[in-house]
Amino acid sequence: MKQAIAILDSGVGGLTVVREVMRQLPREEIIYFGDTARAPYGPRDPQEVRQFTREIVAYLMQYDPKMIVIACNTATAVALDDIRAMVDVPVVGVIHPGARAAIKITRSNRIGVIGTVGTIRSDAYRIALESISPMVEVYSLACPDFVPLVEQGLYRSEEALHVVERSLEPLRGLPLDCLILGCTHYPFLADSISQVMGNDVRLISSAEETAREISTILYQTGRLERTVELPVHRFFCSGQPVTFQTIARQWLGNQIEVCPVVWQVPQIS
Amino acid sequence: MKQAIAILDSGVGGLTVVREVMRQLPREEIIYFGDTARAPYGPRDPQEVRQFTREIVAYLMQYDPKMIVIACNTATAVALDDIRAMVDVPVVGVIHPGARAAIKITRSNRIGVIGTVGTIRSDAYRIALESISPMVEVYSLACPDFVPLVEQGLYRSEEALHVVERSLEPLRGLPLDCLILGCTHYPFLADSISQVMGNDVRLISSAEETAREISTILYQTGRLERTVELPVHRFFCSGQPVTFQTIARQWLGNQIEVCPVVWQVPQIS
């Protein structure tokens, strides 16, 4: 039996990471947990997000995964170090991969970041970017209206484009050459964001970049899947599975089944 | 004192990796060794390349580096596993980063690779790509005339463009959407290669991608440089330093000094 990559998010946002892992690492098996009953995490107190993340990781560890991926920027910003100390498999967050990709891509050293209120308030991207390179200038903007659109499955609507236009207004005209989508929900809105920001601003999907780094780390630690059997992915969510399953199928393909979760918050030692 | 990243190559090719590390990780200190006296490695016997690589790594380990980077595709193809077994710091080659970047970027799953005769004959890129994804189709081409052009400092000449045009003829018209520059010398020729291949083929620089992965691995293993003093890089080469220093200054900036190497092949235990 394959050892899976465990991926967690506040809701459906982490499915953008799942799709990229399925594409870039088609042999790997995935266990996903979306905490839809308690989404969104963005506006929540950091202490609470930290607690929720620990609970979900404790739940996922029962499946003996080979890696934990915190596919939620808000949770990465406040809980990454905590989870690293908690488990003995590699833990990957979604902030540093996006930051490293931005530093690779930028030529002007002027980098934009959009995210939830929690992520932007934590200043985690700026801290990550500046910890690597003192040369960068970072422009951050919270876009609190994006996640609810996606969680409701409205990301392809006319309304979505209007919300994106209005939200990104403060960034237009700034001398950015790349923009980090600092929330795993945002790739659902990539077409609208790209339309608003124009061709000169390269969008960096933390989903794509995180999948790339998952590949790097699995390889470097000798954990890449070698077997050729098709992987069997498992999806759990803490809330009603109907909307989750609809979005998961739209995004990942019709083969997705969401397990009805018997979610009991596990005891954390 | 900072612990350096040790980077080695058959000659000047690894300087493309150096430039990217200096750009993407400006706090990190570098020790570089170019084996100019014995370049090029491409046409040599694999056993010999393996032996040379072991000798250089043994030499560099005297400086207590925190990481070894084999910035030569030919040496990576034949000696990576050997060097991994030899030292107890992370060892990074230049083949897998390019392969992972190609898998991230491609939408058609049709990937081109150009490299030295040694690299292409080893089939290392195809093996790396297929070990990650069974869906890719790989088109490989050896371009033996590129490295001598670069080692002689002729990469900006009119002649270079002709050589590139003639060499890449077999790839034109193939349905590639990306092309891996599978030799660290080739970014010196990137403008000509891009001109010949056209805008629809994205070039993947193993130099850029390797620097990105060095960043990932240093972060993931807690080895990122935190001090703010400017790093002092050291450059060694085994042959006459004149041409090496000229190219290094053109490529990296005028501040580069090349140490006259007292190169004694170290004993390998």
Side-chain angles (χ1 to χ4, degrees), chain A residues 67-262:
Chain A
M67 175 181 264
I68 295 281
V69 180
I70 307 178
C72 170
N73 282 267
T74 312
T76 300
V78 301
L80 181 65
D81 293 339
D82 249 45
I83 303 303
R84 285 229 162 105
M86 179 177 159
V87 301
D88 57 1
V89 293
V91 179
V92 175
V94 281
I95 290 178
H96 279 81
R100 280 186 281 269
I103 285 176
K104 191 195 79 181
I105 284 168
T106 186
R107 290 301 179 261
S108 68
N109 280 322
R110 291 182 172 124
I111 298 169
V113 181
I114 53 176
T116 65
V117 170
T119 302
I120 298 301
R121 192 186 290 139
S122 75
D123 227 9
Y125 274 97
R126 185 191 310 278
I127 294 166
L129 287 160
E130 290 179 352
S131 78
I132 304 170
S133 171
M135 265 104 78
V136 294
E137 228 168 290
V138 184
Y139 302 85
S140 306
L141 180 69
C143 298
D145 297 336
F146 288 7
V147 171
L149 274 178
V150 174
E151 288 288 335
Q152 292 160 48
L154 300 174
Y155 49 93
R156 283 172 182 162
S157 65
E158 189 68 14
E159 191 195 340
L161 181 58
H162 291 311
V163 170
V164 169
E165 254 171 348
R166 204 180 49 235
S167 303
L168 296 181
E169 193 51 43
L171 290 182
R172 295 181 67 184
L174 290 179
L176 314 172
D177 65 356
C178 60
L179 177 65
I180 301 174
L181 306 184
C183 172
T184 49
H185 287 73
Y186 294 2
F188 283 97
L189 295 163
D191 290 344
S192 305
I193 296 171
S194 185
Q195 201 177 316
V196 172
M197 295 303 294
N199 286 335
D200 293 343
V201 178
R202 274 183 66 183
L203 301 191
I204 295 167
S205 149
S206 44
E208 252 183 49
E209 301 304 333
T210 300
R212 157 81 184 277
E213 297 211 353
I214 290 169
S215 183
T216 306
I217 294 160
L218 289 180
Y219 169 74
Q220 197 71 19
T221 58
R223 287 177 164 90
L224 264 187
E225 186 57 52
R226 303 279 174 207
T227 60
V228 295
E229 298 90 55
L230 282 180
V232 181
H233 307 304
R234 281 164 291 180
F235 294 85
F236 304 102
C237 69
S238 57
Q240 282 299 325
V242 181
T243 315
F244 182 91
Q245 181 152 303
T246 307
I247 297 175
R249 287 185 174 177
Q250 266 181 20
W251 194 248
L252 302 175
N254 274 323
Q255 78 281 22
I256 300 303
E257 287 295 330
V258 178
C259 307
V261 154
V262 188

Side-chain angles (χ1 to χ4, degrees), chain B residues 14 58 75 86 142 145 148 198 217 238:
Chain B
M86 178 177 160
D145 298 335
I217 294 160
S238 57

Side-chain angles (χ1 to χ4, degrees), chain A residues 20 22-27 80-81 84 90-92 96-98 100-107 109 129-135 202 208-210 212-213 215-217 219-220 224-226, chain B residues 20 22-27 80-81 84 90-92 96-98 100-107 109 129-135 202 208-210 212-213 215-217 219-220 224-226:
Chain A
E20 281 300 316
M22 287 166 70
R23 191 178 70 78
Q24 295 182 39
L25 291 162
R27 292 201 172 95
L80 181 65
D81 293 339
R84 285 229 162 105
V91 179
V92 175
H96 279 81
R100 280 186 281 269
I103 285 176
K104 191 195 79 181
I105 284 168
T106 186
R107 290 301 179 261
N109 280 322
L129 287 160
E130 290 179 352
S131 78
I132 304 170
S133 171
M135 265 104 78
R202 274 183 66 183
E208 252 183 49
E209 301 304 333
T210 300
R212 157 81 184 277
E213 297 211 353
S215 183
T216 306
I217 294 160
Y219 169 74
Q220 197 71 19
L224 264 187
E225 186 57 52
R226 303 279 174 207
Chain B
E20 280 300 316
M22 288 167 70
R23 190 178 71 78
Q24 293 182 41
L25 292 162
R27 294 202 171 94
L80 182 66
D81 292 339
R84 286 230 162 105
V91 179
V92 175
H96 279 81
R100 279 187 282 269
I103 285 177
K104 191 195 79 180
I105 285 169
T106 186
R107 290 299 180 262
N109 280 322
L129 287 161
E130 290 178 352
S131 77
I132 304 170
S133 173
M135 264 104 79
R202 273 183 67 183
E208 251 182 51
E209 301 304 333
T210 300
R212 156 84 184 275
E213 297 211 353
S215 183
T216 306
I217 294 160
Y219 170 75
Q220 198 70 20
L224 264 187
E225 185 59 53
R226 302 280 175 204

